[in-house]
Amino acid sequence: MSERLRAELARVAGTFGGDVAFTLERPRDLAHGDLATNLAMQLARRERTNPRAMAERVVAALDLSSARLASVEIAGPGFINFRLAAETLTEDLQRILTEGARYGRSQSGQGRRVNVEFVSANPTGPLHVGHGRGAALGDGIAALLEWTGHTVTREFYVNDAGAQISRLAASLWTRIQQAVGRTAEIPEGGYHGDYLKEAAAELLTREGASFADLDIATGVARCRTAVLVLQRAEQDTTLADFGVHFDVVSSEQWTYDHGDVDAAITRLRIAGLTFEDGGALWLRTSSFGDDRDRVLRKSDGTYTYLAPDIAYHLDKFARGFDHAIDVWGADHHGYIPRMQAALTALGLPAGWLDVALVQLVRVVRGGEEVKMSKRSGDFVTLRDLYEETGVDAARYWFLMRRGDSHLVFDIELAKSRTDENPVYYVQMAHARMSGIFRNAGRAAEDVTGTIALSVLAVEDVDLLKKLTQFPEIVARAAIESEPHRVTTYLDELARMSHGWYHACRVLGEPPEIEHSRLLLARATRQVFANALTVLGISAPDRM
RNA sequence: GCGCCCGUAGCUCAGCUGGAUAGAGCGGCUGGCUUCUAACCAGCAGGUCGCAGGUUCGAGUCCUGCCGGGCGCACCA
């Protein structure tokens, strides 16, 4: 419908002399009609004439015979407002019911393969709240891409090759020694968290007390392997319980072992993108948008993190993805230019890699800041959080705001006053729709037929119009990698639904009204279910 | 010093590629359950959209400069 109108507007714009950028969108205020265009104002701008007069000329030139419109009017500074004929709404409702759980999906992605890498937490300790936000966001972005016809791979990258893993292994070895009653100190820069005490106890139980008597080199090496397996398993379990699953887990160590790092360096050298200075090997990232060159290989012969990261992204590209999205903590924003510079230098398409930043979460407990330091072990884990608030509430909360805005998560509030949590407001709206059918003694799917808009109230029609926005919301959220657009929509829809529920009684009304409202309730319930499903949040039938 | 993000109601935040009278939740105040869940609804109060310029018919939105907050500017990852 809107496509046909847009085409006609473009045709008229052409007759007024060339293409001009104009919008055709739903006005915020329903009183302004169903669709509005600023075309006349854009034309007037170029022609330097009165916008309202231009609007008169545009309206006169429009051929609207094929567009099913109830009215066209000029308003405000020169907007042209269109009101759709009632049949289009009737058809919209049919479409929601027909498409059911698929309503909101589209094929605009045309099967393009997209890799979404997120969380990718170091295996040096439990996942914290910030990882939870990254998990919710990455999973939401991935789901939105699936809903818009992309083929998505969810990927987790493990930094299992760095010096911090060595320190972690040494720290665990210390805990092992302490566990058998010897005095030992956590090494400089080591990890002090209690989770290593638990790991030490577990390891001793499994391997026997003699494990502590191994020589240091062997002991630390075995601690390294053991702690990696342990941490990864715990992260996976924590994420799975949070409803997040990965298709692929990649390893930094693997890129070394597989020769990918050396191969990447060689490629860069052959391409003339590197130079040596001070015994180190540098990459000329400054020629590709970075503000300085970066070291690839230190003068001691070891690589910086950048080398395996480049190798890893090359591997992703080689695996055939049309597009890659990395979800990074905002504290890594400074690395975006150098990574993109490196990939551009190697000839990857511009824009192949997008980075979605997620601001770190400030955790507050009862108004008091909770320090999150892995070293001191004093921090709130993701599991702590969702076991207190529930998975649904935590996921919804993480997705309520834009990823790059600061987020304050007050655990005390979410814990002690869960009725104030917006997710319940939304889920309640869904439960109420389900309740109507429960009370009617029939399944929502069994209510079929055509809605009779003429017998309904303005609240009914406004609710239906809100429902028809859902596909656009999904499409937009997917394009922008912004799942919060869906939570915002859900909140708006919930408000309208609760208002409708009060204003418009369903059961016991005259048959035609009852039937039409049952259809509307069925469609509303469907849209709630779909929107919550995209975000990985449950849609309960009763609360 | 340089770069990125942010600055909107008392608090936490939305505001769709620049549009019409800037919104929601929480908190505050007034009302509302003999009727499909009051985990709800209706209403009221609360704004110099950080400040100052600029572009535009039109700026919370775009540009410039300041101010404030966060983060980053390693041969750490």
Side-chain angles (χ1 to χ4, degrees), chain A residues 28-51:
Chain A
R28 282 179 199 155
D29 189 342
L30 288 171
H32 294 140
D34 300 311
L35 290 167
T37 181
N38 63 350
L39 173 61
M41 288 181 284
Q42 296 298 333
L43 286 171
R45 172 185 210 158
R46 207 187 47 197
E47 310 265 321
R48 301 208 165 273
T49 59
N50 182 324

Side-chain angles (χ1 to χ4, degrees), chain A residues 165 169 220-230:
Chain A
I165 303 298
V220 171
R222 290 187 57 179
C223 279
R224 184 188 179 101
T225 308
V227 78
L228 274 175
V229 171
L230 220 63

Side-chain angles (χ1 to χ4, degrees), chain A residues 118-134:
Chain A
F118 57 108
V119 186
S120 296
N122 287 338
T124 51
L127 298 172
H128 57 68
V129 174
H131 294 127
R133 190 179 187 188

Side-chain angles (χ1 to χ4, degrees), chain A residues 122 157-164 251-253 255-256 260-261 264-265 268 281 283 285 290-298 300-313 326 328 331-340 342:
Chain A
N122 287 338
Y157 178 61
V158 188
N159 288 111
D160 53 1
Q164 86 279 13
S251 148
E252 180 186 10
Q253 189 63 50
T255 64
Y256 277 110
D260 282 11
V261 178
I265 299 295
L268 290 163
L281 184 69
L283 181 63
T285 51
D290 199 1
D291 51 12
R292 52 165 296 185
D293 295 322
R294 305 291 170 178
V295 172
L296 281 171
R297 198 188 57 215
K298 294 175 269 184
D300 67 3
T302 63
Y303 290 115
T304 64
Y305 71 94
L306 186 58
D309 263 14
I310 292 170
Y312 166 56
H313 281 87
D326 286 4
W328 289 358
D331 54 335
H332 287 72
H333 72 260
Y335 309 121
I336 298 173
R338 74 189 67 168
M339 180 56 62
Q340 290 186 327

Side-chain angles (χ1 to χ4, degrees), chain A residues 22-182:
Chain A
F22 67 91
T23 59
L24 177 65
E25 57 192 8
R26 296 168 190 271
R28 282 179 199 155
D29 189 342
L30 288 171
H32 294 140
D34 300 311
L35 290 167
T37 181
N38 63 350
L39 173 61
M41 288 181 284
Q42 296 298 333
L43 286 171
R45 172 185 210 158
R46 207 187 47 197
E47 310 265 321
R48 301 208 165 273
T49 59
N50 182 324
R52 287 195 66 111
M54 179 57 79
E56 301 278 359
R57 292 167 60 194
V58 169
V59 169
L62 282 172
D63 173 10
L64 300 171
S65 54
S66 68
R68 284 170 300 170
L69 298 174
S71 72
V72 180
E73 59 191 38
I74 295 164
F79 286 102
I80 302 172
N81 295 338
F82 303 95
R83 223 168 281 275
L84 300 177
E87 311 93 82
T88 64
L89 264 184
T90 310
E91 287 165 16
D92 284 336
L93 181 105
Q94 279 312 319
R95 190 180 149 207
I96 297 172
L97 301 186
T98 304
E99 297 185 5
R102 297 188 47 79
Y103 181 69
R105 287 185 183 262
S106 72
Q107 288 304 314
S108 54
Q110 300 179 306
R112 270 165 42 99
R113 297 187 59 198
V114 183
N115 181 290
V116 183
E117 183 216 317
F118 57 108
V119 186
S120 296
N122 287 338
T124 51
L127 298 172
H128 57 68
V129 174
H131 294 127
R133 190 179 187 188
L137 188 75
D139 199 44
I141 290 171
L144 284 166
L145 289 169
E146 286 171 338
W147 272 63
T148 48
H150 298 82
T151 305
V152 179
T153 296
R154 290 171 173 80
E155 184 151 335
F156 186 113
Y157 178 61
V158 188
N159 288 111
D160 53 1
Q164 86 279 13
I165 303 298
S166 302
R167 283 193 286 272
L168 182 69
S171 303
L172 176 57
W173 182 248
T174 301
R175 290 301 190 199
I176 297 251
Q177 297 305 310
Q178 291 172 345
V180 296
R182 297 171 189 157

Side-chain angles (χ1 to χ4, degrees), chain A residues 238-397:
Chain A
T238 300
L239 288 165
D241 291 346
F242 193 50
V244 175
H245 303 272
F246 290 89
D247 304 303
V248 176
V249 176
S250 291
S251 148
E252 180 186 10
Q253 189 63 50
W254 185 88
T255 64
Y256 277 110
D257 297 344
H258 195 246
D260 282 11
V261 178
D262 291 331
I265 299 295
T266 303
R267 258 182 85 175
L268 290 163
R269 291 181 89 141
I270 290 172
L273 299 165
T274 63
F275 64 95
E276 297 210 24
D277 183 48
L281 184 69
W282 295 70
L283 181 63
R284 297 183 196 277
T285 51
S286 65
S287 305
F288 299 90
D290 199 1
D291 51 12
R292 52 165 296 185
D293 295 322
R294 305 291 170 178
V295 172
L296 281 171
R297 198 188 57 215
K298 294 175 269 184
S299 52
D300 67 3
T302 63
Y303 290 115
T304 64
Y305 71 94
L306 186 58
D309 263 14
I310 292 170
Y312 166 56
H313 281 87
L314 282 177
D315 173 64
K316 258 193 224 175
F317 184 68
R319 279 186 272 145
F321 292 106
D322 300 305
H323 187 46
I325 298 174
D326 286 4
V327 178
W328 289 358
D331 54 335
H332 287 72
H333 72 260
Y335 309 121
I336 298 173
R338 74 189 67 168
M339 180 56 62
Q340 290 186 327
L343 297 181
T344 304
L346 285 164
L348 270 63
W352 180 78
L353 173 67
D354 267 329
V355 179
L357 290 181
V358 51
Q359 281 285 350
L360 301 186
V361 181
R362 235 183 77 218
V363 182
V364 172
R365 193 182 277 278
E368 204 153 314
E369 182 100 24
V370 179
K371 288 271 189 269
M372 297 209 299
S373 161
K374 281 193 195 178
R375 296 277 162 74
S376 68
D378 169 30
F379 64 104
V380 183
T381 67
L382 172 58
R383 182 174 287 282
D384 289 342
L385 182 79
Y386 68 61
E387 283 183 350
E388 285 187 18
T389 66
V391 169
D392 284 344
R395 287 188 75 136
Y396 192 92
W397 202 283

Side-chain angles (χ1 to χ4, degrees), chain A residues 490-502:
Chain A
L490 270 170
D491 198 60
E492 293 166 357
L493 181 61
R495 197 172 320 114
M496 290 192 75
S497 298
H498 285 305
W500 173 81
Y501 188 86
H502 269 263

